[in-house]
Amino acid sequence: MNVEYTSFEFLLALSAIAFGMAADIYYFFGMRKPGHTPPNRWSWLIFSFSAYVEVLTYHEVSGDIVKVIPLATTPVACTVILWFVWKLREDKWENRLEMAIDIFSVVASFSAIIIWLVFSKELWAHTLMVIAVPVSYLPIWRSCVKFGSKRGEDLPWKLWSAMDALNLSLSLHRLNDVMEVPYIAVELVCHVVTWFLVVKFRRSA
């Protein structure tokens, strides 16, 4: 396990954590505002679980704890948000797409765990989770296009995009294997696309 790092790498990791935490806090309090549609708590439970699997399989591929720690803030933040969402007791999926994606996420996550732990194929397990990432964003993109967004709702996605860019820079700077790149790159693309859609389809009032 690689634990050595330079001052520059430490700064990249710390900055990524700071941007990610700022986005998480802003998103969390945005969900608590009056009039916010309660999200499905089962979707968040699945999303949080899959986030842990994504980071764990990334760690198996990378073996570099310096690159893993900033990524690990995502499932931790998801768990905190899940705690709030769970108390809202919203169990209804908005559409069949969301239900299908949740089912896909569960299947992908458990399949990845089996591939990793039973067959010791951590690369294949991680690849499966990378494929699952953009699929999990489909309901968000659909909602942005169909319902639009309010002013200010783009800030978390802007901060998450910055976090991903820093994580990608850190990964490239400490690159051991090219397969360390796709997960962070895909996350960056998904966050940037969401940021673009939130701004593009912002409601006038």
Side-chain angles (χ1 to χ4, degrees):
M1 180 181 294
N2 189 2
V3 295
E4 297 181 358
Y5 57 87
T6 65
S7 298
F8 176 68
E9 291 166 349
F10 177 78
L11 180 61
L12 282 176
L14 190 63
S15 299
I17 293 172
F19 274 99
M21 289 184 63
D24 297 330
I25 292 171
Y26 191 92
Y27 186 81
F28 176 79
F29 283 104
M31 292 178 61
R32 296 173 64 93
K33 290 181 180 179
H36 190 281
T37 303
N40 188 320
R41 58 179 177 173
W42 294 105
S43 295
W44 264 98
L45 177 62
I46 294 165
F47 185 67
S48 300
F49 174 68
S50 62
Y52 278 102
V53 178
E54 288 164 10
V55 174
L56 287 171
T57 54
Y58 178 85
H59 177 262
E60 289 299 309
V61 171
S62 172
D64 189 342
I65 194 66
V66 177
K67 288 180 283 192
V68 172
I69 288 177
L71 298 176
T73 60
T74 296
V76 172
C78 287
T79 303
V80 174
I81 295 174
L82 173 64
W83 173 77
F84 168 71
V85 170
W86 197 262
K87 295 192 299 181
L88 298 179
R89 298 184 180 278
E90 176 59 51
D91 296 329
K92 183 180 179 181
W93 281 272
E94 291 187 8
N95 50 66
R96 291 185 178 180
L97 174 64
E98 287 194 359
M99 182 182 294
I101 288 174
D102 280 351
I103 293 172
F104 172 80
S105 297
V106 171
V107 172
S109 297
F110 278 104
S111 298
I113 291 173
I114 292 171
I115 293 170
W116 168 29
L117 297 180
V118 177
F119 299 102
S120 300
K121 300 292 185 181
E122 62 273 4
L123 179 57
W124 285 104
H126 182 61
T127 301
L128 177 59
M129 296 312 300
V130 171
I131 294 172
V133 169
V135 176
S136 68
Y137 277 83
L138 291 177
I140 299 174
W141 294 339
R142 175 183 179 274
S143 178
C144 289
V145 174
K146 185 175 181 179
F147 301 108
S149 62
K150 299 178 182 177
R151 183 170 297 276
E153 290 185 356
D154 61 308
L155 182 56
W157 303 104
K158 185 187 301 184
L159 294 172
W160 278 319
S161 297
M163 173 194 71
D164 291 331
L166 289 165
N167 279 330
L168 183 59
S169 298
L170 178 62
S171 178
L172 293 174
H173 197 264
R174 295 173 61 89
L175 189 64
N176 296 316
D177 190 317
V178 69
M179 286 308 298
E180 297 172 0
V181 176
Y183 172 59
I184 303 174
V186 167
E187 284 282 4
L188 174 59
V189 170
C190 289
H191 281 141
V192 169
V193 169
T194 308
W195 174 18
F196 170 78
L197 291 177
V198 168
V199 173
K200 175 71 174 178
F201 294 95
R202 180 178 291 154
R203 296 195 295 268
S204 58

